[in-house]
Amino acid sequence: MFMFMFLSLGGVQSALFTSESALSTDPTLAYVVIAMCFGFGLALSIFFAYRISGGSLNPAVSFGLLVAGVMDPITFIAYTVAQLLGAMAGCGTVAGIFPGNNFRGANQVFAPTSLAQGFFLELILTFGLVLTVLFLAVEKSKITFYAPMAIGVYGEGIWIFGRRIEGISISAAVFVAHLIAIPFTNTSINPARSFGASVAAGVWKDHWVFWVAPLLGGGVAGCVHRAYKALEYETLNPGQDADRRE
């Protein structure tokens, strides 16, 4: 979690520092750079932590796994505490070593976005992220040697020489979520990220939104996953993961 926060929020400071003169007229480049730092920062962090914790870096994702029945309550609490501590350490380090005294990146609902709009934007984007995790990282599938090399957003993942790399798909979901929501909420979809940034910046405006909405979105995704499992969705498209066509 520390590395994810350092890479992503460090990217925020760098993007806003180097694009300062253009921010008031056209902030698009800064938004793209920030989204890339969050997406690729998450990918690197997942690859690093995958064999340790499964790359669990988001309380909303952990809550979705809890609701889906694939994580126990003790593990959820332990991971959430670790994620919060790591987020505070990462954001604090960014605030301490980057030039200037103005740490930027705390989540808040920006005008003219209403609280309701910001809330449902965060809820829906987190729902998509957690559903991606549940169906790509939690649900295991066979390796398909002839699978095409393609990247999917909230979908198929990326295939390299027949192997599915889930971390890239999850990171693509985070990348797109940031492209969508940065102008409106600074994009949270992660309560620990919001908490660490608020501690570092001292900004707590609308902070509850970035806990309740992502957790609710993760919980709904967990319920959807349970429903699909109860309906035995695998039988709808039998042989999808077969090694060869019959």
Side-chain angles (χ1 to χ4, degrees), residues 142-185:
K142 295 179 180 179
I143 295 172
T144 307
F145 182 76
Y146 294 106
M149 183 182 295
I151 186 166
V153 178
Y154 292 133
E156 293 297 325
I158 188 169
W159 294 82
I160 299 178
F161 301 120
R163 289 183 173 271
R164 186 196 300 274
I165 308 299
E166 290 100 344
I168 297 297
S169 179
I170 296 166
S171 300
V174 170
F175 171 72
V176 171
H178 278 76
L179 287 180
I180 293 171
I182 285 175
F184 310 109
T185 63

Side-chain angles (χ1 to χ4, degrees), residues 1 4 42 46 53-72 75-76 79-80 83 125-135 137-138 170-171 173-174 188-192 210-211 213-223 225:
M1 190 69 192
F4 174 40
L42 179 62
I46 288 175
S53 66
S56 182
L57 304 170
N58 186 336
V61 174
S62 299
F63 185 65
L65 268 60
L66 176 68
V67 173
V70 295
M71 179 178 286
D72 62 85
T75 302
F76 167 70
Y79 277 15
T80 299
Q83 289 157 359
L125 291 175
T126 309
F127 168 80
L129 169 63
V130 177
L131 210 59
T132 301
V133 173
L134 286 167
F135 278 99
V138 174
I170 296 166
S171 300
V174 170
S188 170
I189 62 173
N190 186 333
F210 306 107
W211 277 89
L215 289 174
L216 186 57
V220 173
C223 291
H225 181 263

Side-chain angles (χ1 to χ4, degrees), residues 6 41 43 86 91 101 113 131 140 144 148 163 178 185 194 204 243:
F6 183 81
C91 292
N101 299 317
T113 310
L131 210 59
K140 304 304 179 184
T144 307
R163 289 183 173 271
H178 278 76
T185 63
S194 296
W204 298 95
D243 292 325

Side-chain angles (χ1 to χ4, degrees), residues 47-123:
F47 288 137
F48 168 74
Y50 182 75
R51 291 186 178 273
I52 301 171
S53 66
S56 182
L57 304 170
N58 186 336
V61 174
S62 299
F63 185 65
L65 268 60
L66 176 68
V67 173
V70 295
M71 179 178 286
D72 62 85
I74 299 300
T75 302
F76 167 70
I77 294 171
Y79 277 15
T80 299
V81 171
Q83 289 157 359
L84 292 173
L85 292 174
M88 286 191 291
C91 292
T93 302
V94 169
I97 70 172
F98 279 78
N101 299 317
N102 185 20
F103 176 90
R104 292 177 284 189
N107 294 110
Q108 49 191 308
V109 179
F110 298 114
T113 310
S114 69
L115 277 176
Q117 289 172 328
F119 183 91
F120 282 104
L121 180 61
E122 290 286 336
L123 188 157

